[in-house]
Amino acid sequence: MKKNIAVLPGDGVGREVAKGATAVLEAVGQRFGHEFEFEYANIGGAAIEESNNPLPNETLELCKQSDAVFLGAVGGPKWDNLPSHMRPERGLLAIRKELSLFANLRPVIGFHSLLQSSPLKPEIAENVNMMIVRELTGGLYFGKPSERRGDNQEVVVDTLQYTREEIERIVEKAFELAVIRNKKLTSVDKANVLESSRMWREIVNEKAELYPQVEVEHMYVDAAAMKLISRPRDFDVIVTENLFGDILSDEASMITGSLGMLPSASLRSDGFGMYEPVHGSAPDIAGFNKANPMAMILSAALMLKYSFHLREEAEAIEQAVQEVLNAGYRTVDLQSTGGTVVGTEQMIDLIAQRVEEGSAISSIMGAYM
Ligand code: NAD
């Protein structure tokens, strides 16, 4: 198989971890006989520096012509005081919208060897395996008007808007995932207060009739926030709107102990996708070879699975990550779990080498499904 992949390293540690994704795909290519070609472009702060635009047209065009996209991370203190339409994060919101990437999938999996790094008690964090499905191109982050008003500009307005079609397609995606996972779907809303949530709930109930094998529960977002840290194992697939998903997925990320372990996929309805770590540009550690590249590397596994349907190859990456952790290698963010601390580049080399060689240790096969 031959695939063209756009790589947008972005800013800060994004530039360091992006190499992890390309290195493991090259290793997959060597082992399984595929060809991956990478073409690079700027986004976020790097693009502002180059062309005064957080999402230049060339970058967008490159992505549109590619089979899939890798994104590192965007943002940093240097650009924090720019007007909002010029900030690096605007590039990220715009590329999701322009590419119609409406479904953001975030698997949250507790690695046994990293249990010590979770702020939760090991007996609560153990065996967590959930998939958070967040709506990504609608809701409060995109609704208009979003502005300051009044004589003193001291009245503020944001708009939460969804269409039926936008809700239907994300809910369907979540049901499809629940069917191939553990057949449980938790829909998170605030239907006791918000009209948008009431329609959301209505649509989930309609779709539930098409998936009788899936157990459906509705949960208010405040209750979900509590349950994520008290009984995280109870969740299989969670589906929710943009803002709730943004907050809950960061909360859930801490179950695994480090943001540096969490990959994500943002998908269009035809399977085209952008793959990125959940974390940001981590300016506090950028440039020191300290970033954990595993979230980015596991995002490459998601790309193989969701965009290219190369399941065995994806599992080879997940297995390599598991083995390197089992062998005791850690990046700085995971050092509380003991073992040998290595830098970003060494961790990338270790994992890519295992991917290329294959291995014998038992895998977490399919854990990221
Ligand atoms: P962050 O995710 O960059 O960092 C939060 C904490 O986690 C920091 O202590 C950081 O050192 C640590 N961390 C993050 N990634 C890590 C990794 N791979 N390995 C080890 N430790 C890691 O979030 P923040 O500090 O709130 O934001 C920094 C910048 O990133 C801001 O400009 C923000 O807007 C941007 N941001 C971008 C994205 C994205 O590109 N998708 C997401 C979130 C934040």
Side-chain angles (χ1 to χ4, degrees), residues 50-315:
E50 191 187 57
S51 56
N52 219 20
N53 180 352
L55 179 61
N57 272 341
E58 308 85 81
T59 301
L60 190 56
E61 280 312 308
L62 173 70
C63 295
K64 285 181 176 168
Q65 284 155 23
S66 302
D67 296 307
V69 181
F70 275 134
L71 182 116
V74 299
K78 184 169 179 193
W79 305 286
D80 275 352
N81 296 321
L82 292 174
S84 74
H85 70 281
M86 274 295 294
R87 289 183 52 138
E89 294 78 1
R90 187 51 55 182
L92 191 58
L93 293 182
I95 198 169
R96 289 170 177 165
K97 192 79 174 172
E98 291 286 339
L99 297 176
S100 305
L101 305 172
F102 70 92
N104 183 233
L105 276 47
R106 295 185 176 189
V108 178
I109 300 191
F111 284 84
H112 184 75
S113 49
L114 300 181
L115 268 182
Q116 288 300 330
S117 68
S118 173
L120 301 185
K121 293 180 191 140
E123 62 269 28
I124 291 178
E126 185 139 44
N127 296 325
V128 166
N129 183 349
M130 72 179 87
M131 174 72 82
I132 301 185
V133 182
R134 165 188 170 195
E135 201 293 323
L136 204 57
T137 53
L140 208 48
Y141 293 3
F142 292 95
K144 293 276 183 298
S146 171
E147 63 193 20
R148 297 182 78 125
R149 288 180 183 168
D151 294 342
N152 298 325
Q153 299 280 291
E154 287 188 346
V155 176
V156 283
V157 181
D158 288 299
T159 304
L160 203 180
Q161 178 177 311
Y162 271 113
T163 63
R164 168 168 272 274
E165 191 215 338
E166 284 172 325
I167 301 175
E168 280 181 349
R169 64 185 182 178
I170 190 76
V171 168
E172 270 165 25
K173 175 59 79 183
F175 270 108
E176 285 165 12
L177 286 161
V179 166
I180 55 170
R181 286 176 51 99
N182 291 321
K183 301 181 179 50
K184 183 171 175 195
L185 179 67
T186 306
S187 171
V188 174
D189 62 35
K190 191 70 184 166
N192 49 346
V193 180
L194 298 175
E195 202 52 49
S196 56
S197 284
R198 284 192 274 275
M199 185 161 90
W200 183 282
R201 201 173 268 223
E202 203 177 288
I203 291 170
V204 171
N205 287 336
E206 284 167 21
K207 296 285 170 199
E209 291 183 17
L210 306 175
Y211 299 90
Q213 66 275 51
V214 177
E215 179 196 338
V216 178
E217 67 177 345
H218 298 280
M219 200 176 283
Y220 295 138
V221 62
D222 37 351
M226 287 194 294
K227 206 165 169 196
L228 268 176
I229 53 166
S230 59
R231 298 180 60 89
R233 262 199 305 277
D234 287 0
F235 293 105
D236 177 23
V237 177
I238 295 177
V239 64
T240 190
E241 61 93 54
N242 204 345
L243 170 69
F244 298 160
D246 191 3
I247 297 168
L248 291 183
S249 56
D250 268 23
E251 184 192 1
S253 74
M254 287 319 294
I255 299 169
T256 66
S258 173
L259 265 175
M261 293 303 298
L262 287 172
S264 81
S266 302
L267 303 177
R268 199 165 67 190
S269 39
D270 61 0
F272 175 87
M274 183 166 85
Y275 297 83
E276 54 180 313
V278 167
H279 63 74
S281 59
D284 51 336
I285 56 166
F288 294 106
N289 193 33
K290 280 185 173 173
N292 180 346
M294 286 184 267
M296 185 83 241
I297 286 172
L298 290 166
S299 301
L302 296 183
M303 176 186 284
L304 293 177
K305 205 172 288 180
Y306 292 121
S307 284
F308 304 151
H309 309 291
L310 296 173
R311 186 158 288 273
E312 189 187 350
E313 289 83 339
E315 284 166 1

Side-chain angles (χ1 to χ4, degrees), residues 1-3 24-36 304 310 312-313 355-356:
M1 183 180 275
K2 183 169 185 299
K3 295 289 176 191
V24 292
L25 280 203
E26 269 162 7
V28 162
Q30 287 288 334
R31 178 161 152 207
F32 294 91
H34 303 300
E35 207 178 317
F36 299 105
L304 293 177
L310 296 173
E312 189 187 350
E313 289 83 339
V355 170
E356 196 172 328

Side-chain angles (χ1 to χ4, degrees), residues 9-22:
D11 308 313
V13 299
R15 307 195 79 78
E16 297 167 61
V17 298
K19 288 179 206 151
T22 54

